[in-house]
Amino acid sequence: MANYLHGYDSQEQQRLIDQAGFLGPLIYPFVDYSGCKKLLEVGSGVGAQTAVLLGLFPELQITSVDYSEAQLAKARENLAAYSDRVRFVSQDAQELDLGEKFDSAFFCWALEHIPDPQVVMHRVKAHLVPGAKIHLTEVFNSTFYYEPELPALTHYYRVYNQQQRDFGGNPDVGAQLGNLLAHAGFREIELSRSGFHLDQSQPEELRRFVEFWKILMKSGAPGLIESGLLRPDEVKAMETDLDRLLEDENAVFFYQFVQAKATV
Ligand SMILES: C[S@@+](CC[C@H](N)C(=O)[O-])C[C@H]1O[C@@H](n2cnc3c(N)ncnc32)[C@H](O)[C@@H]1O
């Protein structure tokens, strides 16, 4: 298994559950599986999005694929109440081979970690029946913009994204979703953006998202420190910078992720 930016400890596994709850209102208005019965979820982690999907679409049976046994074990535990509607498969998405077809597919925060997302798109399409729907939600980290200048955050973010690239991933994969789907032969491709654009006109919302961002940034810290790319005091300085942003009367905090939907 390739190196993985966020790691697999229990704190990180809980972060994925919290993140799914926090960002759900931004993600799911775009997602519609009405009429679908058999969904393939790729890079399913600990089942945080799986739980949301099972709740929103009661007709769905879900096959969740992840290459980490640790994530799948946690997902089985988290989704024990849904054992008749979900099954888990340990596979590298780049070698996806399930021997069956689905009428829908779902990815969330997964393609950014995969060295060859184009191969994954081809593999997934080969597992879908004509007319099947696919939904993707992925990062576009170059869209992150903030004021005032925060040098420790800027440094941390640069190292965090570089680590993702060094691990073979792409922190801007969201920008490529339309191309990836088109090259794999999907049709009726639609792109959409969501995220946040916050300032002191909404101080509570600004604080909520800044606190969320700190946790997201720190999810990379254990690996970055272990690799010698950051020191613990640089992690602390990144958090202090984000606290300074909250106090700045001209604070701006902006980020966009990309969603795509398409049909086979
Ligand atoms: C950030 S987590 C997102 C999990 C879930 N989609 C969510 O939103 O909570 C990314 C997941 O993708 C998995 N992953 C990364 N590369 C993969 C690959 N090549 N094949 C299968 N799973 C992969 C990781 O093990 C991890 O569980």
Side-chain angles (χ1 to χ4, degrees):
M1 198 194 310
N3 284 320
Y4 176 64
L5 178 69
H6 304 290
Y8 293 111
D9 66 18
S10 56
Q11 205 178 336
E12 165 59 14
Q13 292 183 323
Q14 182 57 43
R15 184 190 71 81
L16 290 174
I17 306 279
D18 297 343
Q19 174 176 264
F22 187 81
L23 294 177
L26 298 180
I27 295 173
Y28 285 93
F30 185 76
V31 177
D32 181 13
Y33 289 115
S34 41
C36 299
K37 299 252 184 296
K38 213 177 152 196
L39 178 102
L40 168 62
E41 181 188 17
V42 180
S44 49
V46 299
Q49 310 295 345
T50 326
V52 179
L53 291 164
L54 287 165
L56 284 177
F57 305 102
E59 304 284 295
L60 282 183
Q61 295 280 332
I62 303 185
T63 296
S64 294
V65 177
D66 201 288
Y67 69 180
S68 158
E69 291 288 356
Q71 300 290 76
L72 291 171
K74 193 67 187 173
R76 279 189 195 96
E77 194 184 305
N78 289 339
L79 298 175
Y82 291 107
S83 57
D84 55 334
R85 291 182 56 206
V86 63
R87 75 176 177 119
F88 301 96
V89 178
S90 171
Q91 249 179 41
D92 185 332
Q94 296 166 120
E95 287 156 24
L96 192 71
D97 186 6
L98 299 172
E100 62 180 305
K101 298 226 177 190
F102 299 82
D103 64 12
S104 43
F106 178 85
F107 287 72
C108 187
W109 318 132
L111 284 176
E112 64 178 292
H113 301 290
I114 300 182
D116 196 339
Q118 191 63 69
V119 159
V120 176
M121 283 300 116
H122 283 289
R123 291 239 168 214
V124 165
K125 181 155 177 285
H127 284 78
L128 296 176
V129 296
K133 293 182 193 175
I134 185 167
H135 281 285
L136 313 174
T137 298
E138 296 291 345
V139 294
F140 187 178
N141 285 0
S142 291
T143 64
F144 186 38
Y145 178 83
Y146 45 86
E147 293 182 29
E149 277 185 34
L150 300 169
L153 174 62
T154 301
H155 174 63
Y156 189 100
Y157 198 58
R158 190 179 308 121
V159 173
Y160 175 96
N161 285 308
Q162 189 55 47
Q163 177 78 320
Q164 176 80 303
R165 286 189 198 92
D166 291 347
F167 284 165
N170 178 1
D172 288 324
V173 74
Q176 288 295 332
L177 296 186
N179 290 331
L180 289 166
L181 287 164
H183 297 329
F186 284 89
R187 55 193 185 85
E188 295 170 9
I189 300 164
E190 282 180 45
L191 298 176
S192 146
R193 285 141 305 279
S194 184
F196 48 86
H197 180 181
L198 295 165
D199 56 25
Q200 298 297 8
S201 67
Q202 304 171 74
E204 281 317 309
E205 228 17 31
L206 177 63
R207 181 170 296 279
R208 254 171 29 91
F209 276 85
V210 166
E211 294 304 331
F212 163 76
W213 200 260
K214 272 188 204 168
I215 294 168
L216 172 64
M217 290 295 95
K218 277 170 47 178
S219 70
L224 294 168
I225 292 170
E226 200 184 323
S227 328
L229 296 170
L230 280 178
R231 299 185 311 270
D233 62 291
E234 291 176 308
V235 179
K236 188 78 203 119
M238 173 276 293
E239 290 186 83
T240 306
D241 263 7
L242 283 165
D243 289 334
R244 280 179 46 218
L245 181 145
L246 285 174
E247 301 307 320
D248 193 287
E249 64 175 336
N250 294 316
V252 177
F253 198 57
F254 177 95
Y255 179 85
Q256 296 283 284
F257 59 85
V258 182
Q259 295 188 281
K261 60 178 156 189
T263 307
V264 174

mmCIF file of all heavy atoms in Angstrom, residues 4 6 8 12 15-16 19-20 41-46 48-49 65-68 71 91-94 108-110 112-115, ligand 1:
data_model
loop_
_atom_site.group_PDB
_atom_site.id
_atom_site.type_symbol
_atom_site.label_atom_id
_atom_site.label_comp_id
_atom_site.label_asym_id
_atom_site.label_seq_id
_atom_site.Cartn_x
_atom_site.Cartn_y
_atom_site.Cartn_z
ATOM 1 N N TYR A 4 0.149 7.240 2.870
ATOM 2 C CA TYR A 4 -1.157 7.894 2.918
ATOM 3 C C TYR A 4 -1.081 9.088 3.860
ATOM 4 O O TYR A 4 -0.743 8.941 5.035
ATOM 5 C CB TYR A 4 -2.204 6.876 3.366
ATOM 6 C CG TYR A 4 -3.571 7.443 3.544
ATOM 7 C CD1 TYR A 4 -4.286 7.975 2.475
ATOM 8 C CD2 TYR A 4 -4.166 7.457 4.798
ATOM 9 C CE1 TYR A 4 -5.546 8.507 2.648
ATOM 10 C CE2 TYR A 4 -5.426 7.990 4.990
ATOM 11 C CZ TYR A 4 -6.109 8.508 3.915
ATOM 12 O OH TYR A 4 -7.357 9.046 4.091
ATOM 13 N N HIS A 6 -3.002 11.099 5.567
ATOM 14 C CA HIS A 6 -3.708 11.292 6.837
ATOM 15 C C HIS A 6 -3.442 10.202 7.869
ATOM 16 O O HIS A 6 -3.776 10.384 9.041
ATOM 17 C CB HIS A 6 -5.221 11.370 6.609
ATOM 18 C CG HIS A 6 -5.638 12.434 5.650
ATOM 19 N ND1 HIS A 6 -5.554 13.763 5.947
ATOM 20 C CD2 HIS A 6 -6.119 12.359 4.386
ATOM 21 C CE1 HIS A 6 -5.993 14.468 4.900
ATOM 22 N NE2 HIS A 6 -6.324 13.639 3.942
ATOM 23 N N TYR A 8 -3.799 6.261 9.661
ATOM 24 C CA TYR A 8 -4.947 5.387 9.960
ATOM 25 C C TYR A 8 -5.176 5.218 11.459
ATOM 26 O O TYR A 8 -5.720 4.221 11.881
ATOM 27 C CB TYR A 8 -4.709 4.004 9.330
ATOM 28 C CG TYR A 8 -4.715 4.024 7.811
ATOM 29 C CD1 TYR A 8 -3.548 3.792 7.083
ATOM 30 C CD2 TYR A 8 -5.884 4.276 7.105
ATOM 31 C CE1 TYR A 8 -3.553 3.814 5.693
ATOM 32 C CE2 TYR A 8 -5.895 4.297 5.715
ATOM 33 C CZ TYR A 8 -4.733 4.067 5.017
ATOM 34 O OH TYR A 8 -4.755 4.087 3.645
ATOM 35 N N GLU A 12 -7.692 9.801 13.569
ATOM 36 C CA GLU A 12 -7.963 10.100 12.167
ATOM 37 C C GLU A 12 -9.273 9.431 11.728
ATOM 38 O O GLU A 12 -10.062 10.019 10.974
ATOM 39 C CB GLU A 12 -6.790 9.623 11.299
ATOM 40 C CG GLU A 12 -7.056 9.542 9.806
ATOM 41 C CD GLU A 12 -7.482 10.857 9.152
ATOM 42 O OE1 GLU A 12 -7.330 11.926 9.780
ATOM 43 O OE2 GLU A 12 -8.005 10.795 8.031
ATOM 44 N N ARG A 15 -11.950 11.518 12.887
ATOM 45 C CA ARG A 15 -11.995 12.772 12.121
ATOM 46 C C ARG A 15 -12.841 12.604 10.856
ATOM 47 O O ARG A 15 -13.593 13.500 10.473
ATOM 48 C CB ARG A 15 -10.578 13.228 11.739
ATOM 49 C CG ARG A 15 -10.549 14.578 11.017
ATOM 50 C CD ARG A 15 -9.195 14.909 10.443
ATOM 51 N NE ARG A 15 -8.841 14.089 9.291
ATOM 52 C CZ ARG A 15 -9.250 14.285 8.033
ATOM 53 N NH1 ARG A 15 -10.033 15.307 7.751
ATOM 54 N NH2 ARG A 15 -8.876 13.485 7.050
ATOM 55 N N LEU A 16 -12.715 11.439 10.211
ATOM 56 C CA LEU A 16 -13.487 11.219 8.981
ATOM 57 C C LEU A 16 -14.991 11.223 9.257
ATOM 58 O O LEU A 16 -15.784 11.729 8.455
ATOM 59 C CB LEU A 16 -13.062 9.905 8.313
ATOM 60 C CG LEU A 16 -11.669 9.912 7.685
ATOM 61 C CD1 LEU A 16 -11.305 8.518 7.186
ATOM 62 C CD2 LEU A 16 -11.581 10.920 6.537
ATOM 63 N N GLN A 19 -15.906 14.856 9.947
ATOM 64 C CA GLN A 19 -15.838 15.617 8.695
ATOM 65 C C GLN A 19 -17.075 15.366 7.833
ATOM 66 O O GLN A 19 -17.626 16.295 7.235
ATOM 67 C CB GLN A 19 -14.575 15.216 7.943
ATOM 68 C CG GLN A 19 -14.445 15.822 6.571
ATOM 69 C CD GLN A 19 -13.118 15.469 5.923
ATOM 70 O OE1 GLN A 19 -12.180 16.243 5.997
ATOM 71 N NE2 GLN A 19 -13.034 14.311 5.293
ATOM 72 N N ALA A 20 -17.505 14.099 7.776
ATOM 73 C CA ALA A 20 -18.683 13.777 6.957
ATOM 74 C C ALA A 20 -19.906 14.528 7.485
ATOM 75 O O ALA A 20 -20.718 15.048 6.710
ATOM 76 C CB ALA A 20 -18.925 12.268 6.950
ATOM 77 N N GLU A 41 -18.980 2.219 -3.947
ATOM 78 C CA GLU A 41 -18.293 3.349 -3.312
ATOM 79 C C GLU A 41 -16.799 3.030 -3.278
ATOM 80 O O GLU A 41 -16.397 1.971 -2.795
ATOM 81 C CB GLU A 41 -18.799 3.561 -1.878
ATOM 82 C CG GLU A 41 -18.114 4.739 -1.211
ATOM 83 C CD GLU A 41 -18.437 4.884 0.282
ATOM 84 O OE1 GLU A 41 -18.930 3.926 0.892
ATOM 85 O OE2 GLU A 41 -18.151 5.970 0.816
ATOM 86 N N VAL A 42 -15.977 3.959 -3.771
ATOM 87 C CA VAL A 42 -14.538 3.705 -3.864
ATOM 88 C C VAL A 42 -13.777 4.638 -2.920
ATOM 89 O O VAL A 42 -14.042 5.834 -2.877
ATOM 90 C CB VAL A 42 -14.045 3.892 -5.317
ATOM 91 C CG1 VAL A 42 -12.544 3.628 -5.405
ATOM 92 C CG2 VAL A 42 -14.794 2.959 -6.251
ATOM 93 N N GLY A 43 -12.835 4.058 -2.160
ATOM 94 C CA GLY A 43 -12.095 4.848 -1.168
ATOM 95 C C GLY A 43 -13.016 5.189 -0.016
ATOM 96 O O GLY A 43 -13.106 6.346 0.411
ATOM 97 N N SER A 44 -13.699 4.181 0.512
ATOM 98 C CA SER A 44 -14.809 4.393 1.461
ATOM 99 C C SER A 44 -14.348 4.665 2.878
ATOM 100 O O SER A 44 -15.161 5.057 3.725
ATOM 101 C CB SER A 44 -15.726 3.174 1.432
ATOM 102 O OG SER A 44 -14.949 1.986 1.546
ATOM 103 N N GLY A 45 -13.077 4.458 3.189
ATOM 104 C CA GLY A 45 -12.557 4.778 4.516
ATOM 105 C C GLY A 45 -13.284 4.017 5.602
ATOM 106 O O GLY A 45 -13.504 2.806 5.505
ATOM 107 N N VAL A 46 -13.692 4.737 6.652
ATOM 108 C CA VAL A 46 -14.343 4.091 7.795
ATOM 109 C C VAL A 46 -15.868 4.087 7.640
ATOM 110 O O VAL A 46 -16.583 3.842 8.606
ATOM 111 C CB VAL A 46 -13.930 4.764 9.124
ATOM 112 C CG1 VAL A 46 -12.435 4.651 9.333
ATOM 113 C CG2 VAL A 46 -14.360 6.232 9.176
ATOM 114 N N ALA A 48 -17.835 6.660 6.695
ATOM 115 C CA ALA A 48 -18.502 7.891 7.136
ATOM 116 C C ALA A 48 -19.517 8.375 6.095
ATOM 117 O O ALA A 48 -20.648 8.740 6.439
ATOM 118 C CB ALA A 48 -17.459 8.980 7.401
ATOM 119 N N GLN A 49 -19.118 8.373 4.817
ATOM 120 C CA GLN A 49 -20.070 8.779 3.760
ATOM 121 C C GLN A 49 -21.065 7.655 3.495
ATOM 122 O O GLN A 49 -22.223 7.920 3.139
ATOM 123 C CB GLN A 49 -19.337 9.131 2.449
ATOM 124 C CG GLN A 49 -18.177 10.086 2.580
ATOM 125 C CD GLN A 49 -18.555 11.489 3.029
ATOM 126 O OE1 GLN A 49 -19.721 11.875 2.994
ATOM 127 N NE2 GLN A 49 -17.571 12.252 3.466
ATOM 128 N N VAL A 65 -15.363 -0.100 -1.259
ATOM 129 C CA VAL A 65 -14.010 -0.592 -1.549
ATOM 130 C C VAL A 65 -12.974 0.362 -0.961
ATOM 131 O O VAL A 65 -13.056 1.578 -1.162
ATOM 132 C CB VAL A 65 -13.792 -0.695 -3.075
ATOM 133 C CG1 VAL A 65 -12.363 -1.127 -3.394
ATOM 134 C CG2 VAL A 65 -14.791 -1.654 -3.696
ATOM 135 N N ASP A 66 -12.016 -0.206 -0.242
ATOM 136 C CA ASP A 66 -10.885 0.584 0.255
ATOM 137 C C ASP A 66 -9.691 -0.364 0.288
ATOM 138 O O ASP A 66 -9.860 -1.565 0.430
ATOM 139 C CB ASP A 66 -11.161 1.116 1.668
ATOM 140 C CG ASP A 66 -10.289 2.317 2.026
ATOM 141 O OD1 ASP A 66 -9.070 2.129 2.238
ATOM 142 O OD2 ASP A 66 -10.818 3.438 2.093
ATOM 143 N N TYR A 67 -8.477 0.179 0.142
ATOM 144 C CA TYR A 67 -7.335 -0.741 0.178
ATOM 145 C C TYR A 67 -6.763 -0.907 1.579
ATOM 146 O O TYR A 67 -5.832 -1.686 1.761
ATOM 147 C CB TYR A 67 -6.272 -0.384 -0.855
ATOM 148 C CG TYR A 67 -5.467 0.872 -0.659
ATOM 149 C CD1 TYR A 67 -4.485 1.199 -1.600
ATOM 150 C CD2 TYR A 67 -5.655 1.735 0.409
ATOM 151 C CE1 TYR A 67 -3.717 2.346 -1.470
ATOM 152 C CE2 TYR A 67 -4.890 2.888 0.542
ATOM 153 C CZ TYR A 67 -3.936 3.183 -0.396
ATOM 154 O OH TYR A 67 -3.189 4.301 -0.262
ATOM 155 N N SER A 68 -7.331 -0.208 2.545
ATOM 156 C CA SER A 68 -6.818 -0.331 3.908
ATOM 157 C C SER A 68 -7.706 -1.257 4.745
ATOM 158 O O SER A 68 -8.893 -0.964 4.967
ATOM 159 C CB SER A 68 -6.772 1.044 4.566
ATOM 160 O OG SER A 68 -6.773 0.912 5.971
ATOM 161 N N GLN A 71 -9.123 0.572 7.812
ATOM 162 C CA GLN A 71 -10.318 1.384 7.565
ATOM 163 C C GLN A 71 -11.552 0.482 7.435
ATOM 164 O O GLN A 71 -12.608 0.781 7.983
ATOM 165 C CB GLN A 71 -10.175 2.199 6.266
ATOM 166 C CG GLN A 71 -9.020 3.167 6.213
ATOM 167 C CD GLN A 71 -9.159 4.375 7.112
ATOM 168 O OE1 GLN A 71 -8.980 4.236 8.307
ATOM 169 N NE2 GLN A 71 -9.416 5.526 6.569
ATOM 170 N N GLN A 91 -9.477 -3.712 -1.812
ATOM 171 C CA GLN A 91 -8.830 -3.723 -3.130
ATOM 172 C C GLN A 91 -8.213 -2.361 -3.391
ATOM 173 O O GLN A 91 -8.726 -1.351 -2.915
ATOM 174 C CB GLN A 91 -9.869 -3.983 -4.235
ATOM 175 C CG GLN A 91 -9.720 -5.332 -4.891
ATOM 176 C CD GLN A 91 -10.759 -5.606 -5.951
ATOM 177 O OE1 GLN A 91 -11.112 -4.723 -6.744
ATOM 178 N NE2 GLN A 91 -11.231 -6.839 -5.977
ATOM 179 N N ASP A 92 -7.141 -2.358 -4.181
ATOM 180 C CA ASP A 92 -6.622 -1.097 -4.708
ATOM 181 C C ASP A 92 -7.552 -0.683 -5.853
ATOM 182 O O ASP A 92 -7.776 -1.468 -6.783
ATOM 183 C CB ASP A 92 -5.185 -1.313 -5.221
ATOM 184 C CG ASP A 92 -4.550 0.005 -5.680
ATOM 185 O OD1 ASP A 92 -5.282 0.930 -6.101
ATOM 186 O OD2 ASP A 92 -3.322 0.091 -5.623
ATOM 187 N N ALA A 93 -8.068 0.545 -5.780
ATOM 188 C CA ALA A 93 -9.014 1.009 -6.803
ATOM 189 C C ALA A 93 -8.401 0.964 -8.200
ATOM 190 O O ALA A 93 -9.121 0.847 -9.197
ATOM 191 C CB ALA A 93 -9.467 2.420 -6.476
ATOM 192 N N GLN A 94 -7.081 1.052 -8.295
ATOM 193 C CA GLN A 94 -6.417 1.027 -9.606
ATOM 194 C C GLN A 94 -6.441 -0.367 -10.222
ATOM 195 O O GLN A 94 -6.137 -0.540 -11.397
ATOM 196 C CB GLN A 94 -4.974 1.522 -9.474
ATOM 197 C CG GLN A 94 -4.925 2.974 -9.025
ATOM 198 C CD GLN A 94 -3.538 3.403 -8.565
ATOM 199 O OE1 GLN A 94 -2.961 4.303 -9.116
ATOM 200 N NE2 GLN A 94 -3.008 2.747 -7.549
ATOM 201 N N CYS A 108 -15.603 10.168 -2.646
ATOM 202 C CA CYS A 108 -15.503 11.412 -1.877
ATOM 203 C C CYS A 108 -14.134 11.467 -1.206
ATOM 204 O O CYS A 108 -13.777 10.558 -0.448
ATOM 205 C CB CYS A 108 -16.616 11.451 -0.832
ATOM 206 S SG CYS A 108 -16.723 13.008 0.044
ATOM 207 N N TRP A 109 -13.374 12.484 -1.471
ATOM 208 C CA TRP A 109 -12.030 12.703 -0.892
ATOM 209 C C TRP A 109 -11.159 11.463 -1.078
ATOM 210 O O TRP A 109 -10.411 11.095 -0.176
ATOM 211 C CB TRP A 109 -12.099 13.044 0.608
ATOM 212 C CG TRP A 109 -13.170 13.991 1.046
ATOM 213 C CD1 TRP A 109 -14.013 13.804 2.106
ATOM 214 C CD2 TRP A 109 -13.497 15.291 0.511
ATOM 215 N NE1 TRP A 109 -14.844 14.892 2.241
ATOM 216 C CE2 TRP A 109 -14.560 15.812 1.281
ATOM 217 C CE3 TRP A 109 -13.018 16.051 -0.555
ATOM 218 C CZ2 TRP A 109 -15.137 17.056 1.031
ATOM 219 C CZ3 TRP A 109 -13.613 17.291 -0.813
ATOM 220 C CH2 TRP A 109 -14.642 17.773 -0.022
ATOM 221 N N ALA A 110 -11.220 10.830 -2.223
ATOM 222 C CA ALA A 110 -10.448 9.599 -2.446
ATOM 223 C C ALA A 110 -9.461 9.752 -3.609
ATOM 224 O O ALA A 110 -8.294 9.354 -3.494
ATOM 225 C CB ALA A 110 -11.396 8.435 -2.714
ATOM 226 N N GLU A 112 -7.820 12.143 -4.732
ATOM 227 C CA GLU A 112 -6.626 12.948 -4.420
ATOM 228 C C GLU A 112 -5.452 12.082 -3.963
ATOM 229 O O GLU A 112 -4.308 12.495 -4.031
ATOM 230 C CB GLU A 112 -6.950 13.978 -3.335
ATOM 231 C CG GLU A 112 -7.319 13.312 -2.025
ATOM 232 C CD GLU A 112 -7.610 14.258 -0.864
ATOM 233 O OE1 GLU A 112 -6.677 14.920 -0.400
ATOM 234 O OE2 GLU A 112 -8.757 14.290 -0.412
ATOM 235 N N HIS A 113 -5.752 10.892 -3.437
ATOM 236 C CA HIS A 113 -4.707 10.031 -2.878
ATOM 237 C C HIS A 113 -4.203 8.992 -3.882
ATOM 238 O O HIS A 113 -3.316 8.206 -3.553
ATOM 239 C CB HIS A 113 -5.244 9.280 -1.653
ATOM 240 C CG HIS A 113 -5.713 10.192 -0.561
ATOM 241 N ND1 HIS A 113 -4.849 10.944 0.193
ATOM 242 C CD2 HIS A 113 -6.959 10.490 -0.114
ATOM 243 C CE1 HIS A 113 -5.541 11.664 1.074
ATOM 244 N NE2 HIS A 113 -6.812 11.410 0.909
ATOM 245 N N ILE A 114 -4.809 8.941 -5.068
ATOM 246 C CA ILE A 114 -4.557 7.812 -5.971
ATOM 247 C C ILE A 114 -3.658 8.249 -7.126
ATOM 248 O O ILE A 114 -3.979 9.196 -7.853
ATOM 249 C CB ILE A 114 -5.905 7.250 -6.491
ATOM 250 C CG1 ILE A 114 -6.737 6.785 -5.283
ATOM 251 C CG2 ILE A 114 -5.680 6.125 -7.479
ATOM 252 C CD1 ILE A 114 -8.076 6.163 -5.618
ATOM 253 N N PRO A 115 -2.508 7.565 -7.306
ATOM 254 C CA PRO A 115 -1.546 8.005 -8.324
ATOM 255 C C PRO A 115 -2.115 8.049 -9.738
ATOM 256 O O PRO A 115 -1.758 8.932 -10.509
ATOM 257 C CB PRO A 115 -0.417 6.973 -8.209
ATOM 258 C CG PRO A 115 -0.519 6.462 -6.810
ATOM 259 C CD PRO A 115 -1.980 6.502 -6.451
HETATM 260 C C1 LIG B 1 -9.672 10.797 3.068
HETATM 261 S S1 LIG B 1 -10.226 9.135 3.129
HETATM 262 C C2 LIG B 1 -11.915 9.384 2.639
HETATM 263 C C3 LIG B 1 -12.811 8.259 3.082
HETATM 264 C C4 LIG B 1 -14.288 8.463 2.776
HETATM 265 N N1 LIG B 1 -14.544 8.552 1.357
HETATM 266 C C5 LIG B 1 -14.796 9.683 3.498
HETATM 267 O O1 LIG B 1 -15.080 10.704 2.847
HETATM 268 O O2 LIG B 1 -14.902 9.626 4.731
HETATM 269 C C6 LIG B 1 -9.514 8.355 1.663
HETATM 270 C C7 LIG B 1 -9.621 6.834 1.674
HETATM 271 O O3 LIG B 1 -9.167 6.368 0.400
HETATM 272 C C8 LIG B 1 -8.461 5.163 0.605
HETATM 273 N N2 LIG B 1 -7.580 4.947 -0.552
HETATM 274 C C9 LIG B 1 -6.507 5.704 -0.926
HETATM 275 N N3 LIG B 1 -5.955 5.200 -2.039
HETATM 276 C C10 LIG B 1 -6.694 4.105 -2.396
HETATM 277 C C11 LIG B 1 -6.604 3.170 -3.454
HETATM 278 N N4 LIG B 1 -5.651 3.241 -4.385
HETATM 279 N N5 LIG B 1 -7.535 2.183 -3.502
HETATM 280 C C12 LIG B 1 -8.497 2.085 -2.559
HETATM 281 N N6 LIG B 1 -8.622 2.947 -1.521
HETATM 282 C C13 LIG B 1 -7.726 3.945 -1.442
HETATM 283 C C14 LIG B 1 -7.718 5.371 1.919
HETATM 284 O O4 LIG B 1 -7.337 4.141 2.514
HETATM 285 C C15 LIG B 1 -8.748 6.148 2.731
HETATM 286 O O5 LIG B 1 -9.543 5.293 3.505
#
